[in-house]
Amino acid sequence: MNRDVGFFNFSVNKILTRDQTILDQARIRLLYYGLWLAIITVAAILATLYIQHRQILSYSTSMLLLSILILFKYLTFRPRWGIISHILLVLGTMVNLTNVFITLQSVNIVTAQITLLIIVFSFYMLGQTCGLFYSLVNLIPILIFLVLEYDNTYFIPLKPKVVDGSTMIIAIFANFIFIIFIQNHFYRAFIKSIKQLKATAEERGNLNVEFEKAIEKVEKSSQAKSEFLSTMSHEIRTPMNAVIGMTNLLIMGNPRPDQKDNLDILKFSANNLLALVNDVLDFNKIESGKVVFENLKFNLVELMQNVCGGQKLKAEEKGLNFILEIDDSLRNREFFGDPTRLTQIVFNLISNAIKFTHTGNVWVKVTQLEDRHNTVTVDFAVKDTGIGIEKENLDAIFEPFTQESITTTRQYGGTGLGLAIVKRLLELQGLQMSVLSQPGIGSEFSFNLEFPVSTETATELAEKQPLVLNGNEGMNSLRVLIAEDNLVNVMLMKKLFSKWGITPTIAENGERAVEIAQYGNFDIILMDLQMPVMNGFDAAVEIRKIRDPKKANTPIIALTASALLDIKERVFSSGMNDYVSKPFKPDELREKMQNLVTTVI
């Protein structure tokens, strides 16, 4: 409805708006032009009745004309076509039945026309229900009158009026015009609606085509982004592997105290850079929906101590008190879950607490909330006395690449992905993070996680643990083939393995690795994945095809700096036994080698 229409408006265009449907606009136009025609017709009938000195008919016709004028004015001021239609139908019904039972006391062609008009008008304007109602209200009384008239039983003390031929001609002609006008008007509206529906369908079809193209473009863009991140990951992780690896080798070489301090700074900075790269890659993996949670057995207390061990040193370097509180009821129990993702969540929360705390304390509390024998609900809470967070910024801190403010980003650094990763990992498990924070006082982040637990005792578990020898005992007996094309990484691997008493064989590409594996005898193969001539995946497949079963089943560990989301699946589907991401930790590589080789170390 157009609220700008004034009281003295007489234009139909001003009462039509874009939000009205084609059918509603057709109804308004029908009322507008139909009322004009009714005004002219009733005025003509009134004139003939006045000339014939029919006072009663002239008076009733004048009232009808006044009613039509009022409705026309109401339509051009407030086009409430539903209300106006009901009023017109009531007036038409009253006129029709009054003519039949009182004025004319007969059913003639004019009565039939008016009844037909009411039926058509009510269905077109108000729909099926109202159409049936007004049709029956007019037809049933007329049928009753016809029955009574047929039996000569209808009688009222009023003498019927006689209408001359001219009035009848005007009424009949006008009624036909009304019927033709209504049919023509709504037929045009119907055709227009069909054409609009066809145009809309064609437009929707074109939009669907464009939408499919857009989806395809987005998918290609997403794939290109993943491939770009993988490539960049490989390009960044490869030199980082050398930097961190050489730093570890130098630290293992018993350097002087001043050299060790420099090496520690170098290692710390390299690990920070690696953490930034890992954050971006992990977030990309999470957003792509490629995260799969593992269900491994682990010791929760040991995991928390390992996570907090390095963080405690970092906190103490800032002069903070680091407090780890673990519920005693959680000790000596084995839990099932994804220790890697739990470590990632807790590590990010603790890192944030330390980063944004200048003085005071950082608490990490692990509390058992509920023990149902085979499942345990644990509450993890990280609390600090840091800068705190404004209430209106609590939602923003969980958005990717976002921190509380630009000042915070400049002062404290970081990618702004830590809490976003935490939130996504929790949401993927159907969990929510709880945050309590006051600016200048501190913050507390907490969440609850339910774990299945082993019902075995700690003694029983210890008895089942396999024997793993410490140190480098027996490592010098291993025959190792390394497939690696990067000369810096080759040098690093040689230096690392020399400390374990191993002299590895080097293959500069995948094809060469397959040739050496066919003619040599090796206990284990370390396979880089991205190499010239033949990549690591294809090389592993070819090695598994070697006729000698012993050589074909040689354990293979993939060494990869790639971050492709499906890297793990591709590694195992190509026949490799395990993989280590570059930059790797020497202890992690040694442990995996010990677990895979058949020789007792």
Side-chain angles (χ1 to χ4, degrees), residues 232-421:
M232 290 304 298
S233 167
H234 185 270
E235 296 302 318
I236 294 173
R237 284 171 181 256
T238 298
M240 287 301 299
N241 181 53
V243 172
I244 294 176
M246 286 297 181
T247 304
N248 287 329
L249 287 175
L250 291 172
I251 292 175
M252 293 166 62
N254 298 320
R256 299 192 311 269
D258 60 320
Q259 292 175 328
K260 188 174 185 306
D261 290 340
N262 293 336
L263 290 172
D264 286 339
I265 294 173
L266 176 61
K267 183 178 179 180
F268 177 79
S269 299
N271 285 329
N272 275 352
L273 177 58
L274 182 62
L276 294 177
V277 175
N278 288 339
D279 277 350
V280 175
L281 297 174
D282 281 340
F283 185 76
N284 178 60
K285 183 184 293 185
I286 292 169
E287 288 295 282
S288 300
K290 296 299 179 93
V291 174
V292 178
F293 290 92
E294 297 180 317
N295 190 31
L296 306 175
K297 184 184 290 187
F298 68 98
N299 186 296
L300 179 61
V301 176
E302 289 181 3
L303 182 140
M304 291 302 302
Q305 289 173 342
N306 291 335
V307 172
C308 296
Q311 297 291 72
K312 182 177 182 180
L313 295 176
K314 186 177 177 181
E316 290 174 349
E317 288 175 359
K318 291 187 66 175
L320 305 175
N321 296 320
F322 189 94
I323 304 164
L324 171 61
E325 298 178 5
I326 301 178
D327 199 324
D328 288 335
S329 58
L330 299 174
R331 300 181 186 277
N332 300 323
R333 303 194 71 172
E334 294 292 334
F335 294 76
F336 292 91
D338 193 330
T340 302
R341 296 303 174 188
L342 178 58
T343 298
Q344 195 171 11
I345 292 170
V346 176
F347 181 86
N348 276 317
L349 292 177
I350 298 173
S351 295
N352 265 18
I354 295 172
K355 180 192 293 186
F356 297 111
T357 303
H358 298 296
T359 59
N361 307 309
V362 173
W363 293 273
V364 179
K365 297 180 181 180
V366 184
T367 309
Q368 177 178 293
L369 297 181
E370 187 177 5
D371 185 357
R372 293 187 295 277
H373 184 60
N374 59 347
T375 59
V376 172
T377 302
V378 181
D379 177 70
F380 296 86
V382 178
K383 186 178 180 181
D384 61 64
T385 56
I387 61 175
I389 308 164
E390 296 288 349
K391 186 176 181 179
E392 60 270 19
N393 294 329
L394 285 176
D395 292 333
I397 62 173
F398 289 102
E399 293 302 316
F401 307 104
T402 303
Q403 293 183 342
E404 185 182 8
S405 66
I406 296 177
T407 304
T408 303
T409 304
R410 290 176 177 173
Q411 184 174 354
Y412 296 96
T415 60
L417 281 175
L419 290 179
I421 291 173

Side-chain angles (χ1 to χ4, degrees), residues 568-579:
K568 185 176 180 179
E569 290 78 5
R570 292 186 64 191
V571 165
F572 289 117
S573 64
S574 62
M576 289 182 264
N577 303 85
D578 208 339
Y579 75 101

Side-chain angles (χ1 to χ4, degrees), residues 382-489:
V382 178
K383 186 178 180 181
D384 61 64
T385 56
I387 61 175
I389 308 164
E390 296 288 349
K391 186 176 181 179
E392 60 270 19
N393 294 329
L394 285 176
D395 292 333
I397 62 173
F398 289 102
E399 293 302 316
F401 307 104
T402 303
Q403 293 183 342
E404 185 182 8
S405 66
I406 296 177
T407 304
T408 303
T409 304
R410 290 176 177 173
Q411 184 174 354
Y412 296 96
T415 60
L417 281 175
L419 290 179
I421 291 173
V422 168
K423 181 185 178 184
R424 299 293 197 277
L425 288 176
L426 289 175
E427 287 177 344
L428 288 173
Q429 300 176 80
L431 305 173
Q432 294 293 326
M433 174 71 68
S434 175
V435 185
L436 298 174
S437 185
Q438 287 184 292
I441 296 178
S443 306
E444 180 177 0
F445 293 80
S446 62
F447 63 94
N448 298 334
L449 195 56
E450 185 178 283
F451 297 97
V453 293
S454 174
T455 56
E456 296 176 301
T457 64
T459 305
E460 292 171 341
L461 290 166
E463 290 174 353
K464 293 184 178 181
Q465 295 299 320
L467 177 63
V468 179
L469 299 179
N470 297 322
N472 300 326
E473 180 183 353
M475 289 289 288
N476 55 9
S477 63
L478 288 182
R479 294 164 295 179
V480 181
L481 171 62
I482 300 176
E484 174 65 70
D485 65 307
N486 187 284
L487 296 178
V488 176
N489 285 338

Side-chain angles (χ1 to χ4, degrees), residues 11-22:
S11 172
V12 68
N13 294 325
K14 290 185 179 180
I15 58 176
L16 297 175
T17 60
R18 292 182 178 179
D19 58 343
Q20 295 165 342
T21 64
I22 292 178

Side-chain angles (χ1 to χ4, degrees), residues 237 240-242 244-246 248-249 267 271 274 482 484 489 492-494 496-497 500 526 557-561 579-590 592-593:
R237 284 171 181 256
M240 287 301 299
N241 181 53
I244 294 176
M246 286 297 181
N248 287 329
L249 287 175
K267 183 178 179 180
N271 285 329
L274 182 62
I482 300 176
E484 174 65 70
N489 285 338
L492 170 64
M493 298 295 284
K494 284 182 176 180
L496 175 62
F497 276 53
W500 295 343
L526 304 182
I557 297 178
L559 299 177
T560 175
Y579 75 101
V580 175
S581 297
K582 298 177 183 178
F584 58 81
K585 298 177 182 178
D587 292 341
E588 179 188 5
L589 177 61
R590 183 178 61 190
K592 292 197 174 188
M593 290 173 62

